[in-house]
Amino acid sequence: MSGELAPRLLYCSAAMRNLLLATGLTLLATAACDAPAGQLGDPPVLRVTSPERSLIQDRAGVVQVTGEVAPSEVSGAPITKVYVNNVAATVREDGTFVALVQVKPGATLLHTRALDAAGQEATDTRSVQAGELRPVG
């Protein structure tokens, strides 16, 4: 039967294809949300202030990542941890944080995660290109 169904779906009307697509997407979205309606968590507020996105520097070594983190306005759950590439950041009482991350020559992604007591997570990812810079040409 499935072998006969596929050709029929290819030649059905555009409206029917759109209906099938919408139904499939609705089922996918419903399956992706495991919390009851109206009880979805709100992640903490995360703002990475340094380094800038797509940083290019002439050496490998330590990069200082700084930023600010605050509880979600909805849940108010306190911040429990901030990590940058799995290195624990130092978080001050005012919500500012700093982490020192080692980068090797080449491209490195800096992945910052802020976690709160409700289990919600906010993330920021940016890249650093480190190493010897050579003129083009």
Side-chain angles (χ1 to χ4, degrees), residues 78-128:
I79 305 303
T80 56
K81 297 282 183 188
V82 175
Y83 295 100
V84 181
N85 289 11
N86 295 321
V87 173
T90 301
V91 182
R92 297 182 190 97
E93 280 190 36
D94 65 358
T96 58
F97 67 86
V98 62
L100 300 176
V101 179
Q102 194 76 346
V103 295
K104 297 178 181 177
T108 301
L109 291 178
L110 298 176
H111 186 65
T112 304
R113 299 179 335 155
L115 307 163
D116 69 15
Q120 299 301 310
E121 174 181 75
T123 62
D124 178 279
T125 301
R126 49 192 65 209
S127 65
V128 174

Side-chain angles (χ1 to χ4, degrees), residues 11-131:
Y11 296 109
C12 67
S13 71
M16 179 58 85
R17 281 194 302 272
N18 289 341
L19 176 63
L20 290 171
L21 177 62
T23 302
L25 290 175
T26 301
L27 289 172
L28 180 63
T30 302
C33 298
D34 60 358
Q39 293 183 8
L40 293 176
D42 195 35
V45 178
L46 171 64
R47 189 173 79 105
V48 176
T49 56
S50 175
E52 64 196 44
R53 292 192 181 279
S54 304
L55 173 68
I56 299 174
Q57 65 180 28
D58 61 355
R59 68 198 175 294
V62 175
V63 171
Q64 179 174 294
V65 179
T66 61
E68 301 169 2
V69 65
S72 152
E73 290 183 18
V74 174
S75 73
I79 305 303
T80 56
K81 297 282 183 188
V82 175
Y83 295 100
V84 181
N85 289 11
N86 295 321
V87 173
T90 301
V91 182
R92 297 182 190 97
E93 280 190 36
D94 65 358
T96 58
F97 67 86
V98 62
L100 300 176
V101 179
Q102 194 76 346
V103 295
K104 297 178 181 177
T108 301
L109 291 178
L110 298 176
H111 186 65
T112 304
R113 299 179 335 155
L115 307 163
D116 69 15
Q120 299 301 310
E121 174 181 75
T123 62
D124 178 279
T125 301
R126 49 192 65 209
S127 65
V128 174
Q129 181 70 35

